[in-house]
Structure formats: C-alpha cells, structure tokens
Amino acid sequence: MTATAAPPSPSTGAPRRATTTRLLTHEWLRTRGPLGTLFGLIVLIGVLGSLLGASGWPVLSEFGLAAGMLAAVIAVPAVQLTLAADYWRSGYGRTGYFTHSLPIRGSRIYWAKLAWAMLASLAAIVLTVMLALLAWWANAQRSGGSSPSWSTLTAAWSTVTDVTPGWMVAAGIALVFGSILVWPVHYYFSISIGHERRLAGLGAGGPIVVFVLLYVATQALSLLGMFLIPLGVGEADGETLGIVRFDLFSELAAGASASNNVMPIGFVIALVVLAVFCLWRTARSWNHKVALG
C-alpha cells in the first residue's frame, strides 16, 4: 500500500497540502494525554523522591534519593518509547489504514512525527536537567556537600572551556544532543522496515528483528569508523585539547601500554552516515513500501 496522492483544490486546481504546522498540531492533540500523564508521573516521582532524600531519614532518605535520580535518568527514554509505541500504533496498527489514506505524501507524515518526537525529547532533556539539579541539591542536604549554584556551574563551565576550543565545545554539545535524539530515528526505522512486505509475515517480530540488526550494524560500523578514520580528541598543544592522530591498530598492538587519554572520533562519522541512511530509508518506506496486514 502506498500513500495517497493529494487531491487538487476545487478553487485553484493546485494540490492541497497539509502544512507541517498542522501535522505537528495533530500530533500534539493526539499524544498530549499520554505524554502529559507521563511527564506528570516523572515530575511527581522526581520531586517527592528528592524531598524524601533531603529529609535525612534513615533508609527512606536513600530510597527517595534513588527514586529522584531514577526519574531524571528515565525521562528521555520513557518519552521516546511512548512516542515510538504511538508511531507503531498510528502508522501500522488499528489506525494505520486511516493514517495512510490521508491525502498527504507518506514521507511528510513521517517527518512530522519525527519532528514531534524531537520536540518532546528536547522537553524531556530540560526536565532531566531540572530533576538532576534537584537530586544534586537533595544529596547535598543529606550529606552536607555543596548544593548546585550558579557559581558552581560557571566554575565547571570555565574548567571545560579553559582547555577546550570553542568549536570543540559546540561540537561536543551537538554530539551529546545527537546521541539522545538519534533514538527516535532508529526506533521509527525499525518499525517501518519491520512492517514492509518482506517482513510482514513475522508480525510484531519484524520491527524487533530489524532493531537487533540495526544495533549490530551500529556496533560494527562504529568499530570500522575508528579503524578507517585514525583521528581522536586529545592533548594537542600543552594542556589544550585538539584533534590528534589515533591509530586503533597501533593501540591494539600496544596492549596494556596503549594510550588511554585519546577519544577516537571515527565512530561519530560512521554513526552520522547510518542515521542519514535510516532517515532516507524510512521516508522511502512511507512513500513506497507500506504493507498493512
């Protein structure tokens, strides 16, 4: 089954198109209930857990602090998995026929769903930072350590920027965000490819098989990238970080005497290429290869 072509407008004769804003609004209206409930539960667990952790009560304090930290850690993956389940259900479940019968090119629906997942993930990242700071404060109250403050945060930032060029700090921040936001790309790729005609007979097992294969490919390409691109981040000029040569063959041959102060970056390029492939292939699947049961 392929996406239906957009019908022409009766007034102008031009194809009618649903704007990205309208599709995003639809995603918001359709998922605001589950996402609101999820965000509310995470905030409740995080705040109550941290307050309990700050109380200093025996046993309960440790339990509360653990709950507060857990809420911060699971916020992003919980939101992304909730939206992945919605992507599966709305694209290939009971409402799949309705979604693919819309007079909109399939790839446009996919981009809207992915953009909404990115926006929700960014909101979850903000929540993670807030809950992590709250858990930090609770731990300081319990143990007598330093609480998070503007001076503490600026001192940590100064320590990083003193030894790291500005472009590398920006690249590092982009890499951190990319490593988080790439998960919806992988989830949606696995679900869409797993529902194509050649894997449709596996039912729910199709997306799982694709996800496992994608994970194996990710690990293999990361290793291949480090072998083929002998570069890393290490001390380039005195105590300043920069791009240095990193030969993985030589490091493996060196064994216990290998250098441990260089972070290889070849895997980053391989993962970017893989993410671009997943984006292209999933959009193509929405346009040409949908096979609903």
Side-chain angles (χ1 to χ4, degrees):
M1 179 178 180
T2 58
T4 306
S9 170
S11 58
T12 64
R16 291 184 299 189
R17 295 181 177 179
T19 64
T20 301
T21 302
R22 183 173 297 177
L23 291 173
L24 284 173
T25 302
H26 179 69
E27 291 298 314
W28 151 251
L29 293 174
R30 200 168 45 77
T31 61
R32 61 182 176 179
L35 284 181
T37 302
L38 182 62
F39 271 98
L41 285 175
I42 292 173
V43 169
L44 184 64
I45 294 172
V47 171
L48 292 181
S50 292
L51 291 178
L52 191 60
S55 68
W57 296 338
V59 181
L60 291 178
S61 179
E62 285 79 5
F63 175 77
L65 187 59
M69 296 173 64
L70 180 64
V73 170
I74 68 171
V76 174
V79 167
Q80 293 179 339
L81 287 172
T82 298
L83 289 178
D86 175 80
Y87 177 88
W88 190 328
R89 184 170 51 252
S90 63
Y92 306 94
R94 293 181 178 178
T95 57
Y97 280 104
F98 170 75
T99 301
H100 291 282
S101 66
L102 293 174
I104 309 168
R105 192 169 174 80
S107 57
R108 182 182 286 267
I109 300 174
Y110 163 63
W111 293 124
K113 288 180 176 295
L114 187 61
W116 175 238
M118 297 299 170
L119 291 174
S121 297
L122 290 175
I125 291 173
V126 173
L127 177 61
T128 294
V129 173
M130 295 175 65
L131 292 179
L133 291 175
L134 185 60
W136 182 2
W137 167 82
N139 184 55
Q141 295 297 312
R142 186 177 66 92
S143 61
S146 60
S147 300
S149 64
W150 184 249
S151 60
T152 303
L153 297 176
T154 54
W157 177 256
S158 298
T159 301
V160 173
T161 54
D162 285 346
V163 298
T164 310
W167 69 268
M168 191 173 288
V169 173
I173 294 174
L175 179 60
V176 170
F177 275 88
S179 65
I180 297 173
L181 297 178
V182 77
W183 285 101
V185 176
H186 287 182
Y187 292 151
Y188 291 6
F189 170 84
S190 302
I191 294 169
S192 292
I193 305 304
H195 279 93
E196 290 183 358
R197 189 169 292 106
R198 69 185 66 181
L199 294 174
L202 297 178
I208 297 174
V209 170
V210 175
F211 185 79
V212 171
L213 293 176
L214 178 62
Y215 176 79
V216 173
T218 300
Q219 301 305 312
L221 289 175
S222 298
L223 184 60
L224 184 63
M226 288 189 288
F227 274 117
L228 297 181
I229 305 173
L231 297 175
V233 175
E235 291 185 3
D237 182 16
E239 296 181 351
T240 304
L241 295 178
I243 300 297
V244 299
R245 182 173 177 78
F246 177 82
D247 190 338
L248 187 57
F249 287 106
S250 300
E251 296 296 323
L252 292 176
S257 60
S259 174
N260 296 319
N261 56 359
V262 177
M263 187 190 80
I265 60 174
F267 73 94
V268 176
I269 298 174
L271 294 182
V272 169
V273 172
L274 181 62
V276 172
F277 169 78
C278 290
L279 290 169
W280 166 77
R281 188 61 181 78
T282 309
R284 188 170 185 273
S285 179
W286 271 85
N287 286 337
H288 304 291
K289 295 181 176 294
V290 175
L292 300 179

